[in-house]
């Protein structure tokens, strides 16, 4: 009996240790997943998980190799509201997705801007072995304080007025992105709205499916 309990308790201890290591390493795990999806460096300062919320601090999505700038997107705080039953349901459902204090970095790789960091990011093929057919629904996506930082090919900077708030409803798989690339569906909705406000929507001409997000409704 003693010979049985010693390896049994050792196994329990190992499982607990692995659990603690995984739990405290969640920011790195999330950053790694996004790095694989966008094929650029991604960093996350902190992740907090509760029964109905996922909170992320200081998310930074980098730029493609060879870029002069360091960041394509930064968000100070992200709050995702859902539940375990909604996440596990046939249609993955998120009640609300809120991002606060955001910076969208755009870098031109040619004089016209048609070749830029976002066309590269959004055209990066998914690293998943196969596309997941499961449906998803984000009922409400809200961004507070959005700043666009534009860097032209010659290094010249251009600033735009800060957008206080953008709000979207019912982002689904009808945007053209499978669930493996749900973050790209979110990015596409935001980019279309923000770039449209500043008359630079042409920068997304080479991004697939940019003209089919009709369920995203911006609130001025």
């Amino acid at each position: 009996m003693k010979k049985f309990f010693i390896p049994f308790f050792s196994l329990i201890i190992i499982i607990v240790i692995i659990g603690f290591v995984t739990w405290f390493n969640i920011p790195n795990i999330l950053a790694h997943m996004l790095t694989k999806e966008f094929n650029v460096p991604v960093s996350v300062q902190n992740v907090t998980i509760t029964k109905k919320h996922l909170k992320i601090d200081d998310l930074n999505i980098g730029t493609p190799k060879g870029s002069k700038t360091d960041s394509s997107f930064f968000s100070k705080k992200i709050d995702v509201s859902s539940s375990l039953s909604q996440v596990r349901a046939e249609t993955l459902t998120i009640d609300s997705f809120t991002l606060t204090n955001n910076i969208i970095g755009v870098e031109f790789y040619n004089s016209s801007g048609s070749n830029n960091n976002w066309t590269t990011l959004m055209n990066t093929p998914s690293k998943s072995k196969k596309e997941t057919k499961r449906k998803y629904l984000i009922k409400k996506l809200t961004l507070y304080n959005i700043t666009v930082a534009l860097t032209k090919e010659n290094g010249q900077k251009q600033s735009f007025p800060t957008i206080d708030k953008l709000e979207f409803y019912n982002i689904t798989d009808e945007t053209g992105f499978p669930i493996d690339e749900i973050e790209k569906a979110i990015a596409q909705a935001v980019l279309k709205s923000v770039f449209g406000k500043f008359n630079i929507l042409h920068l997304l001409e080479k991004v697939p499916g940019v003209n089919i997000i009709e369920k995203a409704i911006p609130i001025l």
Side-chain angles (χ1 to χ4, degrees), residues 42-80:
V42 176
S43 63
V44 176
Q45 182 64 36
N46 188 49
V47 176
T48 304
I49 300 176
T50 62
K51 287 184 178 180
K52 292 189 176 182
H53 290 271
L54 168 67
K55 297 183 179 181
I56 303 170
D57 296 328
D58 295 347
L59 167 69
N60 187 74
I61 299 175
T63 50
K65 188 175 181 180
S67 301
K68 298 175 183 177
T69 56
D70 297 324
S71 179
S72 294
F73 180 78
F74 174 82
S75 184
K76 186 66 179 176
K77 290 186 180 296
I78 300 174
D79 190 337
V80 183

Side-chain angles (χ1 to χ4, degrees), residues 66-121:
S67 301
K68 298 175 183 177
T69 56
D70 297 324
S71 179
S72 294
F73 180 78
F74 174 82
S75 184
K76 186 66 179 176
K77 290 186 180 296
I78 300 174
D79 190 337
V80 183
S81 176
S82 187
S83 66
L84 184 59
S85 60
Q86 289 175 305
V87 171
R88 297 176 62 181
E90 183 178 350
T91 298
L92 187 156
T93 302
I94 296 174
D95 291 323
S96 66
F97 201 120
T98 305
L99 302 93
T100 305
N101 295 339
N102 311 281
I103 301 174
I104 298 174
V106 183
E107 180 176 342
F108 286 3
Y109 299 140
N110 59 7
S111 57
S112 67
S114 60
N115 185 15
N116 59 75
N117 58 317
W118 277 106
T119 58
T120 302
L121 293 179

Side-chain angles (χ1 to χ4, degrees), residues 169-184:
Y169 294 94
N170 300 328
I171 297 177
T172 74
D173 55 336
E174 293 179 17
T175 55
F177 292 110
I179 196 169
D180 306 81
E181 299 181 299
I182 192 172
E183 66 277 7
K184 288 184 179 178

